[in-house]
Amino acid sequence: MRTTVGIIGGGPAGLLLARLLHRTGIDCVVLEARNREYVEQRQRAGMLEQGTVDALRACGAAERLEAEGLVHQGIELRFERERHHIDFPALTGGRTVTIYAQTEIVKDLVALQLADGPPLLFEAEALEIEKPESSSPVVRFLHEGREQTLSCDWVIGCDGFHGISRDTFPPEVGRSYAHDYPYSWLGILADVAPSCDELIYARGENGFALHSMRSPHVSRLYLQVPNGTDPDDWPDERIWDELAARFAIDADWTLHRGPITAKAVTPMRSYVHEPMRHGRLLLAGDAAHIVPPTGAKGLNLAVSDIRVLGRAFAEWHRTGSEQLLDTYSEMCLERVWQATRFSYDMTKMLHAQPDGDVFENRLQLTRLRRIAASRHAAAELAANYSGLPLMI
Ligand code: RFL
Ligand code: PHB
């Protein structure tokens, strides 16, 4: 097989890129290791920045998002049994965020791709990228029980944190930065109406809890738990009791409980790989960087990378100039590091220190109080959370 752009990975990054390239008139092929059902059901992100919504709209993938997405005007911070509203439009000059599940974005993009887009091969696992430094790199992949090759002008590694693309960079070319956190999140989905209109980020005495949602009838909640936690040690009643304790405030408020339909533990890590390009191989999304979910940035960063890349390929296609492809890594990394910093700060501010460091715990509350008391501090949070402007 031959194509102009070979895309490894059919997550949000790979699928959105395929859509943008298709609209520009550049042919591509998407190789996805898993089957369709798996990628459409994988529970992940839910909070979209305005820029992410705009990008999906611009490529005709926002019909259902516009009908079903829940527009939020801010978030709530809870600590010391009090609630504090952070008003995004008032603090950012009108910006909002939207709740719409990653599973739904993937379903929408897969449907468009299969209807009129370039080839999307499921159960096609990339094994190796050959000659990434040359002008015609080749992807070797396994599909329908046999090994095949895809010759390309460009290869884009959108294969997530555990993919093969990043490992293709020779060690002397790249450098990575990583930080592991001493806690994980236990995430649940529950068939119960959300107990709030906006997301609640709570710093309870025993640790962090987040109340999010998927629809007016489905709640998504997370609890800080120790690393290595087995979800089976958390029967449903124990989860609801702990959530209720961490969200507790002195005002009248009740956490609605309901049947839990999914339960999983996610470790927390920050990771950035620099640069994001080696020869004709470019990385995008989780393949190049991951953040802890506290800042809700992972999916939004993946979409930002693809917006930069989509524009660079459009320019290359129109004029033959590789200038924007040459500056791709630099363009993305500034934003990636800003999101890495923000996600780190949010995580450190809201999670209880497992070693019980009382000084650190006291500082956390001091940071939270500052945000509640100062418009300036709240505006800084709102600007980062709702998404820094993308200069393309
Ligand atoms: P993905 O989604 O991991 O997709 C990569 C795809 O590549 C495939 N693949 C391969 N295909 C072919 N050959 C190979 N050798 C391959 N190896 C892998 C995989 O099967 C997969 O389909 O990466 P992508 O596209 O970069 O998207 C990134 C996002 O998925 C991720 O950043 C977010 O989900 C992170 N995240 C959140 N981000 C937000 O912006 N807002 C949120 O509210 C938010 N909440 C979250 C999150 C992530 C979470 N977890 C589980 C890590 C909440 C959680 C709990
Ligand atoms: C989610 O809805 O899954 C979600 C929302 C905000 C976050 C993390 C996850 O910070």
Side-chain angles (χ1 to χ4, degrees):
M1 275 168 87
R2 206 205 124 77
T3 188
T4 305
V5 180
I7 300 175
I8 305 178
L15 292 168
L16 181 62
L17 178 61
R19 199 74 218 142
L20 292 180
L21 294 178
H22 177 59
R23 288 171 78 93
T24 308
I26 301 175
D27 62 287
C28 64
V29 171
V30 183
L31 304 176
E32 166 53 50
R34 304 295 196 135
N35 63 32
R36 180 177 181 180
E37 195 190 4
Y38 183 90
V39 301
E40 290 187 346
Q41 298 305 326
R42 194 168 33 198
Q43 282 305 324
R44 290 224 175 145
M47 205 295 296
L48 311 183
E49 294 173 2
Q50 184 74 56
T52 299
V53 173
D54 292 345
L56 291 164
R57 190 180 293 126
C59 70
E63 204 177 299
R64 213 156 58 88
L65 160 60
E66 269 162 2
E68 296 172 22
L70 306 170
V71 176
H72 283 195
Q73 312 279 329
I75 57 170
E76 186 181 311
L77 295 178
R78 279 192 187 185
F79 56 96
E80 295 178 312
R81 302 184 67 87
E82 284 186 2
R83 59 208 307 183
H84 303 271
H85 174 64
I86 309 291
D87 183 335
F88 291 168
L91 293 164
T92 63
R95 293 222 295 275
T96 57
V97 293
T98 301
I99 288 287
Y100 187 68
Q102 181 168 328
T103 47
E104 306 312 299
I105 295 179
V106 168
K107 281 180 202 160
D108 296 344
L109 288 169
V110 165
L112 285 169
Q113 183 84 0
L114 295 178
D116 72 349
L120 161 59
L121 307 185
F122 288 106
E123 299 180 75
E125 185 190 359
L127 303 172
E128 195 182 355
I129 304 162
E130 293 170 353
K131 303 184 288 167
E133 301 88 355
S134 77
S135 55
S136 51
V138 173
V139 183
R140 276 199 306 112
F141 66 101
L142 201 57
H143 185 51
E144 294 175 338
R146 64 192 175 91
E147 213 175 289
Q148 306 184 35
T149 56
L150 177 64
S151 304
C152 319
D153 293 335
W154 301 89
V155 175
I156 314 301
C158 299
D159 46 354
F161 189 63
H162 301 288
I164 58 143
S165 300
R166 195 174 62 248
D167 294 340
T168 305
F169 282 54
E172 66 279 10
V173 168
R175 154 132 220 220
S176 58
Y177 301 82
H179 179 79
D180 290 313
Y181 299 79
Y183 28 73
S184 301
W185 278 15
L186 171 64
I188 62 158
L189 269 180
D191 280 339
V192 58
S195 312
C196 49
D197 298 327
E198 289 175 347
L199 269 55
I200 307 172
Y201 289 78
R203 170 65 168 88
E205 266 192 37
N206 289 341
F208 173 72
L210 168 61
H211 194 324
S212 182
M213 59 200 71
R214 288 292 173 264
S215 73
H217 317 287
V218 176
S219 296
R220 174 85 167 137
L221 298 112
Y222 300 93
L223 266 182
Q224 173 187 352
V225 291
N227 282 340
T229 294
D230 180 351
D232 290 341
D233 290 342
W234 284 82
D236 296 6
E237 257 344 90
R238 181 177 178 205
I239 293 177
W240 287 117
D241 289 347
E242 191 57 35
L243 286 166
R246 294 190 193 179
F247 288 121
I249 44 175
D250 288 333
D252 190 23
W253 184 85
T254 317
L255 177 66
H256 306 312
R257 302 179 182 215
I260 294 178
T261 56
K263 205 186 280 188
V265 170
T266 316
M268 316 265 277
R269 174 180 286 170
S270 295
Y271 180 95
V272 181
H273 186 278
E274 293 186 345
M276 289 166 62
R277 174 174 174 185
H278 171 56
R280 291 270 180 129
L281 167 64
L282 293 89
L283 303 178
D286 278 17
H289 41 73
I290 52 170
V291 286
T294 329
K297 287 283 161 257
L299 170 63
N300 292 298
L301 272 185
V303 170
S304 303
D305 290 352
I306 297 304
R307 292 171 72 193
V308 175
L309 201 49
R311 215 194 104 202
F313 271 120
E315 182 76 2
W316 173 73
H317 186 62
R318 200 170 56 82
T319 67
S321 164
E322 291 185 17
Q323 201 210 329
L324 292 180
L325 287 163
D326 289 342
T327 54
Y328 165 72
S329 183
E330 231 172 277
M331 282 280 300
C332 293
L333 281 167
E334 177 52 27
R335 187 181 179 83
V336 166
W337 274 110
Q338 290 302 336
T340 301
R341 169 195 59 77
F342 174 67
S343 305
Y344 177 93
D345 289 348
M346 283 285 278
T347 304
K348 293 282 176 179
M349 179 171 74
L350 287 161
H351 290 73
Q353 287 290 111
D355 58 8
D357 180 336
V358 286
F359 178 76
E360 186 57 42
N361 283 337
R362 197 71 180 70
L363 276 186
Q364 290 178 323
L365 291 174
T366 307
R367 287 189 195 105
L368 285 162
R369 278 201 210 109
R370 177 73 188 149
I371 292 167
S374 152
R375 186 183 164 88
H376 181 75
E380 176 63 9
L381 189 157
N384 282 277
Y385 191 100
S386 64
L388 298 175
L390 180 64
M391 307 294 185
I392 55 167

